[in-house]
Amino acid sequence: MRISIIGGGTVTDDARETAAQTGRVVARRGHTVVCGGLGGVMEAACRGAKAAGGDTIGILPTDRRADANDYVDTPIATGLGHGRNALVVMNGDAAVAIDGAGGTLSEIGFSLVFDRPVAGLGTHEVRGVEACETPAEAVEYVESAVDG
């Protein structure tokens, strides 16, 4: 399964650690991380996934694959700016939202429009987003929502 990990490019140390833990859990459970490919939550999630032997895909807002963070295995350049947010969630089977601002909120919206289950870790309180306390709980939620 592919799990889109969405969240802010500029984050607190706590959000960065949550994202790294989430990436590790995703990889340990045999899933691939999909993200926006840049810094903050995206980089931390990819770093965590790589540390656990997982695969990562970065859907970039720019037209240069070289802009991806160092932990992205498969960079996909789009040149679409924030328009790529729809592609980030469409390329996952589910999403885990961590922290974030307006861009993350748009990704949550696209997730819900495209019928992707969404788990939230310290993110926007939106109907349809399952608030979770831990990365493991978030991944277990999206796994059960996809399988169920």
Side-chain angles (χ1 to χ4, degrees):
M1 177 164 75
R2 289 182 177 180
I3 299 176
S4 299
I5 300 181
I6 56 179
T10 304
V11 295
T12 65
D13 289 342
D14 286 344
R16 187 175 288 108
E17 181 54 32
T18 297
Q21 289 176 12
T22 304
R24 284 192 293 276
V25 172
V26 167
R28 285 183 189 136
R29 295 182 71 97
H31 308 304
T32 298
V33 167
V34 178
C35 70
L38 298 178
V41 162
M42 299 166 277
E43 182 173 19
C46 289
R47 180 173 39 85
K50 295 308 299 172
D55 294 318
T56 61
I57 299 168
I59 312 244
L60 298 159
T62 64
D63 61 359
R64 293 173 18 102
R65 290 190 311 258
D67 291 342
N69 72 62
D70 291 339
Y71 306 98
V72 169
D73 292 316
T74 306
I76 299 171
T78 69
L80 295 173
H82 286 290
R84 71 67 155 93
N85 291 359
L87 299 176
V88 171
V89 298
M90 286 179 70
N91 282 281
D93 301 299
V96 176
I98 301 166
D99 194 49
T104 305
L105 185 57
S106 75
E107 290 172 314
I108 290 170
F110 283 125
S111 296
L112 298 173
V113 165
F114 297 128
D115 294 321
R116 303 308 198 261
V118 184
L121 293 166
T123 193
H124 304 277
E125 294 181 19
V126 175
R127 187 178 58 226
V129 174
E130 180 72 20
C132 296
E133 295 295 320
T134 67
E137 182 184 342
V139 174
E140 289 167 7
Y141 169 76
V142 297
E143 285 174 331
S144 66
V146 169
D147 291 340

